Structure formats: C-alpha cells, structure tokens
C-alpha cells in the first residue's frame, strides 16, 4: 500500500476539521485585535515550518503539516486563517501532487473565520482578514494552467495550427487559453529558432474577425519582426490586445510605425492611445507630425492630438499653430489649438496666448478660450 493511501485518512480527518468554519458563525474583530491574533508566536513558528517544507519542494508534506497545525485547538482563529492562506499560496509555486490538490480542494470551500471592518464604510462592511478559500481556488487554477501549458508546449513548438482553432473554441480567460499563452512563451524560450509559435500567430490572426479576443494570444506567439500580425491585432483585436500592441510599434522605424498607428486611430476604443503613441515620435518623423495636425478638430481624438503635439517644445510648431488659430473659423478646431498652446506651456506659447488675447482678428469666442 503506497504512502498516499496511508496518508489519506489522516488528511481527510484534517480537512474535516478545517471545513467546520464554513458552518460556524464568523468573528468580526477590530483590525488591530485581528492582526495581533494573526501574528502570535505560534503562528510565526508555523510559518517558519512551512518555509522549510517549501525549500524541500515537498507539497504533500506541506499540505499535511499545515493542516495539522491549523487543526490545533490552541491556534487562534486569525492565525489559522493566515496559516492556511499562506500554505495555499506556497503550493502554487511547488510541484503538483494528488495530496496537495486534495488539501486545496477542501480548503477552497472554507469560509474565513475572522472578518474586519472596512474603515471607509464606517464598519458597515466587513471583509476577511485572510481568505484561504480564495487563495486555494487561485492556486488550483494556477496548477491547472501549468498542467495545460506543459501538455501544449510540444505542440506549440511544432507550430500546430489546430491550437488556434482550439483556442477559438475556448472561452476568453479560460484555463486552456491561459495555458496556451504560457506554452507559447515556453516554446519560444526552449526551442531557439523554432518557427512554431510564429506560425501559430498567423493562424490566430486569421481568426480575429471571428473572435477579436484572440489578439492577446496572437501577440504572444508573434515573431517580434512580424508587422502583419501586429497590424492585424491593431485593426481587429479586442481592446486589451489593441492597447498591448501599440507599444510594440516602438521597435519599428517611424515611417513603418505610422501606418499602423493610423489603423489603430480609426478605432474608437484605442484611437486616443494610438494618437498619444504617435506623439512619442513625431519630431523624428515630420509626416507623423503633419498627420497629428490634421486631427486637430476631430471630435474623437482632436484633444489627444493636441496633447501629442505638445509633448515636445517645438518653436516652429508653436508659431505655425498660433498663426493657424488666428484665422481658424471652426470652433472645435480652435479649442484644440488653444489646448495645444496651453499644454505646450513654453515661454513662446505663453507669449502667443497673450498676443492672441488682444488680437482683433481672433473671434471673441476664441479670445474667451484664451483667458
């Protein structure tokens, strides 16, 4: 009979004891009282014991010892909550095992014993001081993701296009997608020169019209030099992947990055971020600067264009936009030009504002904006 079978009755008995708080009435304590309970000498000794077991990388022993220590009647309720939360956290970075999973699954349904008031609510709302159940559920998911990643890494290294189809069938945020993301990273790190992940990125990008949430995976698998996948995500990826793609344009020369930023600027959800990203580089690329100037007056991104242009104190630009403001008939564009001068905040910009305030050629409405 193996050791796991022998240990099972002991572990089940411990879990039965630990599950009792799910039925017991919780304690609501002042934060200071609860923290004192959770920091006693017995708790510190227990945590030190877990330190040693973690260094030994023995998840079965850690689960059993943590359970026995927490079941000790002398352990304070807050100390028990802290100890079990700490044990569940440590198991997330240790090898997976049947015994530790059994411990975590029992812990996942456990309710915290000690709750403390949220000061901002005047004590009307209480939250757990330590939430071992939530930590156990998080650790179980971490272990599941790791297991999926381990299984998928060889397939990712081979560049199996079927992984993209499987990802589309899985829900965003699912264990499968998170495991695949890690597998793609692992395949790239362990198989130097492998084209597997990069080929999968194209399969994922091809599915973006059907599922924009695949954009994050497409970026993860993408070869850093691949502009086509980057363009696809900026055009069709969901908001999260579109925003993540914008900083990746920094690796490209400005003339190559600008068309990608123009694609992103056509999308309402990431347009302002794309325009501000363009503002990082317009001095080195006059065409980018001219494009940003054309956006002044745009109802969606005009204010962002003003901010992007004001990033650098360019005297020639201050002069040009101040002259443009003097004869600008469109009210929205005029407001964006005023915003640019205020954000530029240079001596030249301030002088231009003072001059325009008194210029009879400037409309009364614009002079009001300048005050």
């Amino acid at each position: 009979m193996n050791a796991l079978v022998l240990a099972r009755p002991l572990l089940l008995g411990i879990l039965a004891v630990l599950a009792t708080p799910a039925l017991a009435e919780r304690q609501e304590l002042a934060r200071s009282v609860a923290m004192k309970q959770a920091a006693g000498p017995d708790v510190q000794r227990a945590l030190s014991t877990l330190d040693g077991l973690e260094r030994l990388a023995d998840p079965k022993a850690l689960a059993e010892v943590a359970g026995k220590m927490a079941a000790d009647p002398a352990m304070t309720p807050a100390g028990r909550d802290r100890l079990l939360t700490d044990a569940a956290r440590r198991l997330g970075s240790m090898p997976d095992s049947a015994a530790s999973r059994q411990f975590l699954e029992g812990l996942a349904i456990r309710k915290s014993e000690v709750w403390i008031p949220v000061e901002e609510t005047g004590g009307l709302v209480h939250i757990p001081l330590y939430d071992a159940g939530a930590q156990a559920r998080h650790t179980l998911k971490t272990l599941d993701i790791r297991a999926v990643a381990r299984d998928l890494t060889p397939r990712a290294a081979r560049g199996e296009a079927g992984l993209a189809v499987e990802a589309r069938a899985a829900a965003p945020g699912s264990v499968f997608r998170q495991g695949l993301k890690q597998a793609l990273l692992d395949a790239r790190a362990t198989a130097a020169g492998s084209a597997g992940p990069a080929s999968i990125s194209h399969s994922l990008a091809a599915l973006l019209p059907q599922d924009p949430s695949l954009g994050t995976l497409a970026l993860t698998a993408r070869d850093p030099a691949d502009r086509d996948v980057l363009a696809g995500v900026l055009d069709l990826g969901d908001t999260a992947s579109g925003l993540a793609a914008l900083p990746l344009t920094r690796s490209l020369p400005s003339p190559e990055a600008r068309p990608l930023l123009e694609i992103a600027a056509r999308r309402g959800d990431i347009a302002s971020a794309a325009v501000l990203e363009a503002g990082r580089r317009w001095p080195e690329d006059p065409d980018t600067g001219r494009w940003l100037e054309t956006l002044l007056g745009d109802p969606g991104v005009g204010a962002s264009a003003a901010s992007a242009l004001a990033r650098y104190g360019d005297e020639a630009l201050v002069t040009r936009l101040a002259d443009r403001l003097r004869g600008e008939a469109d009210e929205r564009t005029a407001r964006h030009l005023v915003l640019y001068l205020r954000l530029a905040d240079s001596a030249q910009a301030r002088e231009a504002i003072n001059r325009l305030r008194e210029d009879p050629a400037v409309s009364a409405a614009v002079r009001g904006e300048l005050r």
Side-chain angles (χ1 to χ4, degrees):
M1 188 177 295
N2 63 38
L4 180 55
V5 173
L6 289 171
R8 184 179 177 83
L10 173 62
L11 191 55
L12 288 175
I14 291 169
L15 291 175
V17 174
L18 297 183
T20 56
L23 303 176
E25 184 177 353
R26 74 188 191 189
Q27 298 184 28
E28 295 181 355
L29 302 178
R31 177 183 290 271
S32 58
V33 174
M35 292 297 290
K36 185 175 181 180
Q37 274 196 16
D42 54 341
V43 180
Q44 298 301 329
R45 285 192 294 271
L47 295 177
S48 179
T49 299
L50 296 188
D51 281 338
L53 293 171
E54 185 178 21
R55 285 193 292 271
L56 292 174
D58 189 342
K60 176 175 177 292
L62 189 145
E64 290 182 357
V65 171
K68 281 189 279 189
M69 291 189 299
D72 185 344
M75 179 71 68
T76 62
R80 186 159 40 246
D81 284 349
R82 181 182 181 185
L83 172 63
L84 293 172
T85 303
D86 189 73
R89 177 188 60 79
R90 293 173 191 268
L91 288 170
S93 60
M94 298 175 72
D96 202 349
S97 78
S100 62
R101 274 191 175 263
Q102 186 181 14
F103 172 78
L104 289 166
E105 287 164 1
L107 205 54
I109 61 172
R110 183 182 185 275
K111 303 295 184 183
S112 297
E113 293 185 66
V114 175
W115 295 58
I116 58 174
V118 177
E119 294 180 3
E120 293 79 3
T121 69
L124 294 176
V125 177
H126 287 70
I127 59 174
L129 178 65
Y130 291 96
D131 195 337
Q135 180 61 63
R137 293 189 293 274
H138 175 76
T139 296
L140 284 167
K141 186 173 183 180
T142 298
L143 295 174
D144 288 342
I145 291 169
R146 190 188 305 160
V148 170
R150 183 176 59 249
D151 291 343
L152 296 184
T153 297
R155 297 178 61 192
R158 292 193 297 269
E160 290 189 16
L163 286 173
V165 177
E166 292 174 47
R168 185 186 61 178
S174 63
V175 167
F176 180 86
R177 286 204 187 185
Q178 293 182 69
L180 177 56
K181 182 177 181 179
Q182 187 58 53
L184 291 167
L185 293 171
D186 291 345
R188 188 176 295 282
T190 58
S194 169
S199 66
I200 293 172
S201 74
H202 283 271
S203 299
L204 289 163
L207 295 174
L208 288 174
Q210 301 163 43
D211 188 347
S213 69
L214 292 171
T216 298
L217 286 172
L219 291 179
T220 302
R222 164 184 169 267
D223 186 289
D226 193 326
R227 292 194 296 276
D228 291 338
V229 171
L230 188 57
V233 174
L234 287 169
D235 187 21
L236 298 169
D238 62 359
T239 301
S241 60
L243 290 172
L246 287 173
L248 300 179
T249 63
R250 297 173 196 172
S251 65
L252 303 173
S254 291
E256 295 179 22
R258 187 179 64 258
L260 299 181
L261 296 175
E262 290 177 0
I263 289 172
R266 293 196 290 268
R267 293 177 46 173
D269 56 342
I270 64 172
S272 289
V275 169
L276 291 172
E277 183 64 37
R280 300 175 59 91
R281 60 200 312 164
W282 72 260
E284 69 188 52
D285 180 30
D287 286 341
T288 296
R290 284 190 282 272
W291 170 56
L292 291 173
E293 288 185 52
T294 68
L295 298 178
L296 294 170
D298 184 285
V301 297
S304 297
S307 179
L309 288 165
R311 185 183 180 95
Y312 301 98
D314 185 272
E315 293 186 1
L317 183 61
V318 169
T319 298
R320 184 164 68 254
L321 294 189
D323 288 343
R324 178 178 170 182
L325 175 59
R326 187 170 184 269
E328 183 57 59
D330 181 74
E331 183 179 340
R332 182 183 290 115
T333 302
R335 287 202 303 271
H336 292 158
L337 289 166
V338 171
L339 177 63
Y340 162 76
L341 291 173
R342 292 197 183 283
L343 292 176
D345 197 30
S346 64
Q348 185 183 12
R350 291 190 291 272
E351 181 183 345
I353 288 174
N354 291 332
R355 185 175 65 253
L356 289 165
R357 282 174 183 162
E358 309 302 327
D359 192 330
V362 176
S363 70
V366 172
R367 289 202 302 273
E369 293 279 344
L370 290 165
R371 300 212 178 269

